[in-house]
Amino acid sequence: MRVMMRIGAEWRRATRVAVTGLLLSATAVAATIEGRVVLPKARSAPVVNQRYEIVTKAGVLSTNPPVAIVYVEGEFPRPQVQPVTQIRQKDLTFIPSLLPVQVGTKVEFPNFDDTYHNIFSFSPAKRFDLGRYRSDEKPVPSQIFDEAGLVTLRCDIHEHMRALILVLATPHFVITDAAGGFKLAGLPAGRFTVKAWVDSKTIREQLVDLPPGDATLRVDFP
Amino acid sequence: MKSVWQRLRRLLCLAAVTLSATAAEDFLDEVQDFLSFSARDTQWRGRLSGALDLEGYRVQLPAPGVLGTKDGSLLESRLTVFLDAQLGSQVYLFAQARADHGFDPGEGPGQLRLDEVAVRYAPWGRNQPTVQVGRFATAVGNWANRHDSWTNPFITAPLPYELLTGIWDTDAVRSSTALLQWAHIRPGLPAAQTALEKSLRVPIVWGPSYADGVSLFGGAGRVNYVFEGKLGSLSSRPEAWQRGREQLTHPTLSARVTFRPNQMWQLGLSASTGSYLREFAARGIPAGYGRGDYRQEVLAHDLAFAWHHWQVWAEAYASRFTIPRLGDADVFAYYTEVKYKFTPQLSGAVRWNQQLYGTIPDRGSRTRWGQEVWRVDVAPGYRFSPHTQLKLQYGLQHGDSGRRDTTRTLATQFTVRF
């Protein structure tokens, strides 16, 4: 339950970050899109392989309810100040397990467990291996995600650990809540494609015309 | 021999190209998700996973260690399926089934085995005393918990886990001459026994030693402990693990304590004692003695270090095989492994191994009862994807046998993990 609340807090934080960015970048207008994405069924929670572990760790893991990322596609200028965010490793889980970032964002990977992790990615959008590092190691190991695409994070030590970073060219994105609801505010006027990223094989899209001014548009992704 | 290597090369190339594609990575992720299941609001969860290994060996005869090949060339395939299940927070169950040509790579007929199946009960939660019952890898040393093909940077086991000593578990030693013949120190071993000797001799520890048993373990601060009672000594062979009832009257007791000052270091100390003779060897025991007098006593020290892209492991084993009316046959073996990741996908590992023998009383003096051996292994590895990897290994082994002092082993292993 605590982990569920933590994940909820992550969504709210990510949403706040995205919305703050939107508010800062929207100079003249602040249109809003809200709606709902139909989400897939939750996948089974993973089992930690403890075959050769002397000490039992993380006997019960949180479930990660599926969520989607809704974003406005387009070429937008990179932020003047490099955004920095985090994916934490806590209780042998990546938190959050899905993170949208704008191209150029620096993501830090602090380790809050008392055991090693070894984060790596073989994804074409970002290939790296952080190696094993202590939880008190400074600076916190990080990577800059400078190419749009989907990056799958894994741990070389704990095979059940997996997380996704969706690197987007746009600053206009938001994570849905567990019911699929979303609200994307601070948008400029114009004709855009709004996309809902559901999983690595499912991206839904709709063409929208955002009028100038303080309008709110309803967009659902069935 | 040439055709075997050509076939292996073609298979490896085809598999690497096919399975390194991004689509294959997604597919194998989906397979992993598909093989996970849960019930009772995810409080009960299970997962099937596994690995498919394709291995090739080219060795100078006689084949080193526990490898079984008559012509110096061997192609081995192995399918391993794991089950991990968590029932609430207190019960964890795991199993490992394998289809191959024998526990050790060889030319035997195909077989399907249940190498591990155990249930763990942790009534008081994390770090508290936990009990485990079933067939599982020994807690002694630090190699068993990283011996699977995906984790292990090498293809073969370190020397203490595979180099056969002169001790047989199938017969009791009755004289120094017999032991020295069994160990190839003195000529005169009948030809029929020489041909069979791989099924007679034992190493210090046979692989991960998947014998039946029960263990109690837990932790206190930075110290973890394990007590283990198993139906098979550390040197017992895979056939004996499947016949644990033979050892019911002579169980092996082991203990291990580890100290982890921080995430970088782990130090371990292990000890074990148990009878090394099989049940049917009892007929050759001199009057007045029993199987319990033929003991393997082991003291082991191990160390593990990891930092960034470096990993180091080292173990030292001192093993004593007690032989009534003859004395103690002591053997000491150690190794050090170093692994470094050059890039996210390319890694390399080097291992130095050495095995040294003590002396036994022999014709009024003392004679060393085994051939001392050193071996260096070099193993580059490449991960095509999070599910596929290729390893190569070159081993140079030197013994003081006087027949052929230096032998070379070339091995390759392609693994698909799902």
Side-chain angles (χ1 to χ4, degrees), chain B residues 291-323:
Chain B
R291 283 164 66 204
D293 297 313
Y294 291 80
R295 306 195 70 76
Q296 183 192 14
E297 294 164 350
V298 174
L299 192 63
H301 177 55
D302 60 86
L303 174 152
F305 168 83
W307 186 66
H308 291 192
H309 299 299
W310 290 98
Q311 284 178 273
V312 179
W313 302 273
E315 287 189 274
Y317 273 93
S319 176
R320 167 167 291 175
F321 294 94
T322 61
I323 305 169

Side-chain angles (χ1 to χ4, degrees), chain A:
Chain A
M1 191 60 163
R2 258 189 336 195
V3 178
M4 290 283 289
M5 289 170 65
R6 211 159 47 210
I7 291 170
E10 277 303 323
W11 291 336
R12 286 192 292 276
R13 198 170 75 85
T15 306
R16 271 202 306 274
V17 169
V19 169
T20 306
L22 292 177
L23 291 174
L24 291 173
S25 63
T27 50
V29 289
T32 299
I33 297 174
E34 60 182 23
R36 186 168 299 278
V37 181
V38 175
L39 300 172
K41 280 197 327 189
R43 71 182 175 97
S44 293
V47 181
V48 180
N49 164 9
Q50 304 161 51
R51 278 167 244 145
Y52 310 122
E53 291 282 341
I54 288 178
V55 176
T56 306
K57 289 178 178 139
V60 175
L61 290 174
S62 66
T63 55
N64 286 324
V67 290
I69 296 168
V70 178
Y71 61 95
V72 176
E73 195 175 56
E75 288 299 322
F76 298 92
R78 288 193 183 200
Q80 292 183 337
V81 179
Q82 183 180 52
V84 179
T85 186
Q86 288 189 338
I87 288 185
R88 302 188 300 279
Q89 301 138 77
K90 177 76 177 148
D91 297 332
L92 308 190
T93 307
F94 285 119
I95 302 170
S97 59
L98 175 63
L99 178 72
V101 298
Q102 188 180 1
V103 169
T105 299
K106 177 180 174 182
V107 180
E108 297 176 336
F109 300 97
N111 176 9
F112 291 99
D113 284 324
D114 61 1
T115 188
Y116 265 140
H117 291 291
N118 186 157
I119 302 174
F120 73 95
S121 161
F122 288 173
S123 300
K126 189 71 184 179
R127 200 163 293 209
F128 67 95
D129 186 316
L130 293 179
R132 288 155 162 83
Y133 54 90
R134 293 167 59 155
S135 47
D136 58 354
E137 199 153 308
K138 295 284 183 275
V140 176
S142 62
Q143 290 287 307
I144 295 170
F145 291 82
D146 42 18
E147 187 181 325
L150 183 65
V151 177
T152 305
L153 297 183
R154 300 170 198 271
C155 176
D156 196 24
I157 302 168
H158 306 101
E159 60 183 292
H160 69 278
M161 289 177 67
R162 220 189 300 167
L164 298 170
I165 297 179
L166 184 62
V167 186
L168 299 164
T170 173
H172 304 290
F173 54 79
V174 68
I175 298 181
T176 68
D177 57 31
F182 71 91
K183 186 174 183 179
L184 197 50
L187 301 175
R191 170 170 267 217
F192 297 102
T193 300
V194 180
K195 292 191 171 181
W197 182 97
V198 180
D199 57 43
S200 61
K201 287 184 178 162
T202 313
I203 299 177
R204 299 176 190 134
E205 61 180 61
Q206 292 201 31
L207 205 58
V208 297
D209 280 312
L210 291 174
D214 194 14
T216 297
L217 204 64
R218 175 88 194 174
V219 176
D220 291 324
F221 295 92

Side-chain angles (χ1 to χ4, degrees), chain B residues 216-228:
Chain B
L216 175 73
F217 53 87
R222 299 188 178 281
V223 176
N224 293 332
Y225 60 86
V226 189
F227 299 103
E228 184 178 275

Side-chain angles (χ1 to χ4, degrees), chain B residues 164-171 173 179 182-183 197 199-203 206 235 237 276-277 294-296 319-323 326-331 357 360 369:
Chain B
L164 300 172
T165 68
I167 294 289
W168 292 3
D169 61 348
T170 53
D171 203 356
V173 178
L179 179 57
W182 293 358
E197 67 171 2
S199 58
L200 303 171
R201 303 168 72 182
V202 294
W206 201 304
S235 61
R237 67 185 62 247
Y276 59 85
L277 281 187
Y294 291 80
R295 306 195 70 76
Q296 183 192 14
S319 176
R320 167 167 291 175
F321 294 94
T322 61
I323 305 169
L326 181 62
D328 298 329
D330 294 338
V331 55
Y357 290 83
I360 56 168
W369 69 278

